[in-house]
Amino acid sequence: MGLVEVRRVSQGLFSPCLADYYTPAMLGLKTDQEVLGELVRAKLPAVGALMEQLGVLWTLVVSRWFICLYVDVLPVEVSALLGARGGQASRQGVTRASVSLQTVLRIWDCLFNEGSKIIFRVALTLIKQHQEFILEATSIPDICDKFKQITKGSFVMECHTFMQRHPVLVSEGWCATVYITLRSWVKAGVRQCSVTLCSWVKAGVRQCSVTLCSWVKADVRQCSVTLCSWVKAGVRQCSVTLCSWVKAGVRQCSVTLCSWVKAGV
Amino acid sequence: MLSPYLSTPSVVLIGESGVGKTNLLSRFTRNEFSHDSRTTIGVEFSTRTVMLGTAAVKAQIWDTAGLERYRAITSAYYRGAVGALLVFDLTKHQTYAVVERWLKELYDHAEATIVVMLVGNKSDLSQAREVPTEEARMFAENNGLLFLETSALDSTNVELAFETVLKEIFEKVSKQRQNSTRTNAITLGSAQGGQEPGSGEKRACCISL
């Protein structure tokens, strides 16, 4: 393996975000799960809406996918079939059955080559391909079950087709912004209020995240109480006003805000 | 008539890795046992409907990974829980020795009103026992926990353990409801069936404002 390849592989595997998967706080993992949530919301809105409606945390369904990088999730081994090594077999044009079962290895090839975005692509592909099936779910257990089932079957066996059918990702710039914002939120533990935050993000209040984070660090509970009551009162529409308040540092006034909200101001 | 909060109580299974949490759950929800089950990654989830008196209660059970490295993910699920089974392996004293730490971790994240049962699992391996029943029972009593010894392998007490915890939750909530004019489901339950950890807590705070 040449130096260039080595560098590429190590960049793919040990890029900062992936490395953060396995630290005590698992910040990278939590963030990536939220990023996936945003991606699904953008690319597959029906699934995103269902997940929100049922209140399923992405951690619940994709932790294993992300932590294990799809090992033990998607098919790994081919040798049992024909005793031929997949890569060679494909090059020599041996029967298709012999090369079709090594989806994980194929994913890892792409992961080494292109970096951690592959993790999202695979997840999105799985979800997109089985969108109708997932949308049949009516409860949390249903969802858990569906997400387990979509990693099985003929679709994931055909690794080449599988890897080529990934949906086009939204712009890298968007991803980067969302990633940074979500990461700071996750770090500060603000994600409990995800409903509010999501609507704020949609309304373009993203630039407030720094302020929010400092609020939350100062007093998580108080902040979430406020946010909660805002959400309940449907203050979403006022998010522009809120934004300017937030910018002005209205933290001390949050109790007042709360009572205003309650009073319907 | 049960409120929606009460009818889907969520219970967490916690304890060291390898004590048999996943098998306890699979025995309870599917009547299955696996000899070579793998370590749980993150959190798994299962439900089962049980009858408490005349009421059907659909319990949501969260099976958490015992490994320290997943603590960042698993602790999020303590928050919405109204009940917990703190499991140790009665053939491995080390898993019992750290029970106190688990308890602290649970109370750090969960409601103070959470119903906790200490469960000594693998009671079928009586010849290899390292934790005397009385010692564990005393610990449970001193800390206000329920206590049972179970075997996921031969099904001993598995049903009883879950049902006792659910019954206790049920009674606790009913009692609180009688004592207060406010809807107590707010403090004990979780609106989205435990999916939004902390929602119960936040609501309670909202009200006290």
Side-chain angles (χ1 to χ4, degrees):
Chain A
M1 198 189 281
L3 200 61
V4 178
E5 281 89 355
V6 170
R7 192 181 298 148
R8 238 203 237 157
V9 167
S10 59
Q11 270 172 358
L13 247 197
F14 307 115
S15 57
C17 39
L18 204 58
D20 242 12
Y21 272 28
Y22 309 104
T23 53
M26 297 188 125
L27 210 56
L29 175 77
K30 286 177 171 178
T31 307
D32 277 2
Q33 287 172 346
E34 296 300 335
V35 172
L36 178 69
E38 294 293 329
L39 282 169
V40 169
R41 228 169 271 146
K43 307 290 295 178
L44 309 162
V47 177
L50 180 70
M51 296 292 278
E52 230 164 90
Q53 182 202 330
L54 295 176
V56 188
L57 297 175
W58 283 99
T59 329
L60 188 60
V61 285
V62 296
S63 278
R64 181 181 280 267
W65 296 8
F66 282 26
I67 293 174
C68 304
L69 303 175
Y70 298 99
V71 175
D72 212 24
V73 172
L74 296 173
V76 184
E77 203 40 78
V78 64
S79 51
L81 264 192
L82 290 179
R85 282 179 59 197
Q88 287 172 0
S90 96
R91 254 172 258 128
Q92 291 158 7
V94 183
T95 55
R96 209 170 159 70
S98 65
V99 294
S100 62
L101 268 175
Q102 35 173 351
T103 310
V104 169
L105 300 184
R106 186 79 163 77
I107 291 171
W108 278 39
D109 279 347
C110 297
L111 188 64
F112 291 153
N113 196 32
E114 295 183 55
S116 63
K117 66 184 172 195
I118 295 300
I119 301 172
F120 297 111
R121 280 200 193 157
V122 172
L124 278 176
T125 308
L126 281 171
I127 297 168
K128 189 183 185 187
Q129 181 70 19
H130 301 92
Q131 193 171 182
E132 299 302 316
F133 179 67
I134 292 171
L135 289 175
E136 289 166 14
T138 54
S139 65
I140 307 159
D142 267 3
I143 286 276
C144 295
D145 207 41
K146 304 261 181 205
F147 270 83
K148 271 183 198 147
Q149 285 187 42
I150 63 175
T151 58
K152 301 183 177 84
S154 59
F155 178 61
V156 296
M157 300 284 191
E158 286 292 333
C159 66
H160 298 296
T161 332
F162 179 85
M163 288 313 287
Q164 278 153 16
R165 203 176 292 177
H166 59 74
V168 184
L169 280 181
V170 275
S171 77
E172 301 244 337
W174 183 87
C175 268
T177 321
V178 170
Y179 185 84
I180 292 164
T181 316
L182 286 175
R183 192 181 161 85
S184 61
W185 287 356
V186 168
K187 198 170 180 179
V190 199
R191 273 311 264 190
Q192 296 163 357
C193 313
S194 55
V195 180
T196 331
L197 295 176
C198 275
S199 63
W200 285 5
V201 169
K202 275 177 199 155
V205 202
R206 209 177 293 160
Q207 55 275 31
C208 304
S209 58
V210 178
T211 322
L212 266 178
C213 276
S214 64
W215 276 20
V216 169
K217 269 177 205 154
D219 187 346
V220 184
R221 190 169 297 183
Q222 203 205 336
C223 186
S224 49
V225 170
T226 318
L227 289 175
C228 226
S229 60
W230 287 356
V231 173
K232 272 188 205 151
V235 200
R236 238 173 303 181
Q237 295 82 351
C238 312
S239 54
V240 178
T241 325
L242 279 176
C243 187
S244 60
W245 287 356
V246 169
K247 275 180 192 157
V250 209
R251 174 164 37 129
Q252 296 81 350
C253 310
S254 57
V255 179
T256 325
L257 279 176
C258 240
S259 61
W260 284 3
V261 169
K262 274 182 195 155
V265 180
Chain B
M1 184 64 196
L2 286 168
S3 76
Y5 308 113
L6 250 184
S7 62
T8 55
S10 71
V11 173
V12 284
L13 279 161
I14 60 171
E16 285 295 284
S17 181
V19 297
K21 298 181 289 298
T22 304
N23 271 321
L24 274 176
L25 179 62
S26 68
R27 178 62 82 191
F28 179 62
T29 57
R30 301 190 299 275
N31 200 18
E32 286 170 11
F33 182 92
S34 163
H35 277 280
D36 55 346
S37 69
R38 301 184 191 191
T39 173
T40 307
I41 291 167
V43 175
E44 299 276 338
F45 173 79
S46 232
T47 60
R48 195 184 133 176
T49 305
V50 289
M51 295 301 291
L52 291 181
T54 55
V57 172
K58 188 176 184 185
Q60 305 188 333
I61 301 149
W62 304 85
D63 173 27
T64 64
L67 288 173
E68 178 76 34
R69 75 173 76 122
Y70 299 124
R71 209 54 51 81
I73 311 178
T74 54
S75 59
Y77 290 88
Y78 299 171
R79 251 170 264 164
V82 290
L85 270 74
L86 203 181
V87 188
F88 67 91
D89 178 351
L90 51 74
T91 67
K92 288 201 183 82
H93 194 274
Q94 180 270 334
T95 64
Y96 171 74
V98 293
V99 156
E100 207 153 347
R101 212 193 62 205
W102 278 101
L103 208 55
K104 184 181 176 306
E105 171 132 345
L106 182 66
Y107 286 134
D108 276 352
H109 293 92
E111 299 281 337
T113 50
I114 190 168
V115 173
V116 186
M117 174 182 269
L118 184 64
V119 177
N121 193 33
K122 310 196 185 179
S123 64
D124 52 285
L125 299 170
S126 52
Q127 72 285 2
R129 176 190 283 275
E130 284 181 10
V131 182
T133 310
E134 275 317 304
E135 187 185 336
R137 190 190 302 282
M138 282 300 289
F139 177 85
E141 264 174 33
N142 293 337
N143 288 276
L145 317 176
L146 301 163
F147 175 71
L148 262 183
E149 286 189 347
T150 62
S151 165
L153 179 71
D154 63 21
S155 301
T156 311
N157 282 346
V158 175
E159 298 260 327
L160 186 65
F162 283 97
E163 278 167 14
T164 309
V165 167
L166 291 168
K167 209 176 279 175
E168 184 79 12
I169 292 167
F170 181 75
E171 281 168 9
K172 210 166 185 170
V173 175
S174 316
K175 202 183 281 174
Q176 277 199 5
R177 180 180 293 177
Q178 284 168 4
N179 291 345
S180 166
T181 50
R182 282 183 182 153
T183 46
N184 288 290
I186 281 172
T187 50
L188 265 182
S190 43
Q192 273 83 41
Q195 280 309 286
E196 201 182 296
S199 66
E201 186 181 59
K202 273 180 269 163
R203 276 150 187 266
C205 296
C206 285
I207 276 180
S208 64
L209 258 179

